[in-house]
Amino acid sequence: MSAPAEVLHVEVTRGSLERALDLFNALIFEFAKRGSTVEVDAEKKWTVLIIEGTRVELSVTERVRRKEHVDTPEETKAKERYWKLPRYPGREYPGTPRHDYLATGILTITAGRWPSRSWNDTERTPLERRFPEVVSGLILLAAEIHAREEKQAREAEQRRLAKEHYARIMEQRKRERGLFEALETEATKWERAARLRAYVDAVEHAATLEDELTDELVDWIDWARTKADWLDPMIRVSDLILDAPEPEKPALWW
């Protein structure tokens, strides 16, 4: 039988229950004298022994022996009746288990998960006589668990710092790349603006030499130079058309 979630973690047959509880109580009393406490985690169904701040899961279980199930005369008759009588919805087959589990009375104290330790009855020595060995073993196990937890905490901190360092470097690279791309964009705009101005100057010079500088061409030259200024990152000027918000597209149907 298994204990309910809110009590000690005991999994034994009914005949071994009292002995299992006595073992658990003896452990609790011994470690209480040493300043340790016991908690029951009802959600996870764990019994936890806390030794100097280190949590050690604790359980007492019984080894059981499994054998093939042999139907009793009553079970055999129930199955025969099932096949002889008419079957109807809701009538269930009187199934029986494949195996029977028999009590052995051999108890095991298990502590921890990883690392873990266990002590069990032997032919010559019951757990009650191994009690000092169990107590010292639990103390050593708690120290081992504590060392492992500290190592895991250090490794977790190292991973956290490494992740932070990586994220910081990647953010710096991203920011630097963005600044450089912006620099290239500004330089390209500046070169394009300079090329436009040179072209407009050439057009104006050629038209002047040929005496073809018409009012229409003068307007175009002013327009072109304005666009060059708008493109030049060195000059802060906006364009009434190109910088205006995009108009909303009219609906297809009124």
Side-chain angles (χ1 to χ4, degrees):
M1 63 183 296
S2 298
E6 67 274 9
V7 296
L8 300 174
H9 187 175
V10 175
E11 297 182 17
V12 298
T13 59
R14 190 174 300 277
S16 298
L17 179 59
E18 184 175 353
R19 180 175 171 236
L21 292 176
D22 286 343
L23 283 169
F24 233 132
N25 288 334
L27 284 173
I28 293 173
F29 181 74
E30 176 63 30
F31 278 95
K33 292 190 300 183
R34 300 168 182 265
S36 301
T37 58
V38 172
E39 291 182 359
V40 175
D41 189 327
E43 181 180 351
K44 296 181 179 179
K45 300 182 180 180
W46 291 347
T47 301
V48 182
L49 176 63
I50 303 174
I51 303 175
E52 295 183 356
T54 300
R55 301 172 67 85
V56 182
E57 296 163 31
L58 201 61
S59 67
V60 177
T61 58
E62 179 181 1
R63 187 180 303 170
V64 293
R65 183 167 57 87
R66 190 181 75 172
K67 72 169 188 176
E68 294 291 329
H69 177 77
V70 178
D71 287 349
T72 64
E74 291 77 11
E75 291 171 338
T76 301
K77 290 179 181 179
K79 291 179 180 180
E80 290 174 350
R81 285 196 301 271
Y82 175 85
W83 293 112
K84 289 179 180 179
L85 296 175
R87 289 183 289 279
Y88 51 84
R91 183 164 178 254
E92 296 182 357
Y93 179 74
T96 52
R98 292 183 58 186
H99 301 97
D100 291 326
Y101 296 89
L102 306 179
T104 65
I106 300 174
L107 301 186
T108 299
I109 297 174
T110 303
R113 284 179 171 256
W114 181 259
S116 65
R117 297 287 186 278
S118 63
W119 302 266
N120 54 268
D121 292 320
T122 64
E123 292 184 2
R124 295 184 177 181
T125 311
L127 279 171
E128 287 81 354
R129 290 172 55 188
R130 300 184 65 184
F131 197 73
E133 176 190 348
V134 174
V135 172
S136 60
L138 284 170
I139 294 172
L140 291 175
L141 176 62
E144 186 176 347
I145 292 174
H146 179 69
R148 178 182 174 84
E149 289 175 346
E150 283 194 331
K151 179 183 177 183
Q152 290 175 333
R154 289 194 301 270
E155 291 173 347
E157 179 64 11
Q158 291 172 356
R159 288 193 297 271
R160 185 188 68 80
L161 293 175
K163 288 181 179 179
E164 286 185 355
H165 177 71
Y166 173 79
R168 186 165 56 251
I169 294 299
M170 293 303 294
E171 181 61 28
Q172 289 175 348
R173 287 170 61 90
K174 180 181 178 181
R175 183 172 62 252
E176 197 72 10
R177 186 177 290 110
L179 291 172
F180 180 71
E181 290 175 353
L183 172 63
E184 284 190 315
T185 300
E186 297 289 288
T188 300
K189 288 181 178 180
W190 180 78
E191 289 178 346
R192 289 172 60 195
R195 189 169 66 251
L196 286 177
R197 292 191 185 100
Y199 173 72
V200 173
D201 289 345
V203 170
E204 183 181 33
H205 180 69
T208 301
L209 290 178
E210 297 295 332
D211 196 22
E212 295 178 353
L213 194 60
T214 63
D215 291 341
E216 183 180 357
L217 183 57
V218 169
D219 290 341
W220 179 87
I221 290 172
D222 290 341
W223 173 86
R225 284 174 174 160
T226 300
K227 288 296 182 279
D229 290 344
W230 173 77
L231 185 61
D232 192 339
M234 301 291 187
I235 300 176
R236 293 182 176 273
V237 63
S238 62
D239 190 285
L240 293 176
I241 297 176
L242 297 179
D243 289 330
E246 185 175 344
E248 183 177 352
K249 186 177 181 180
L252 296 178
W253 303 99
W254 292 93

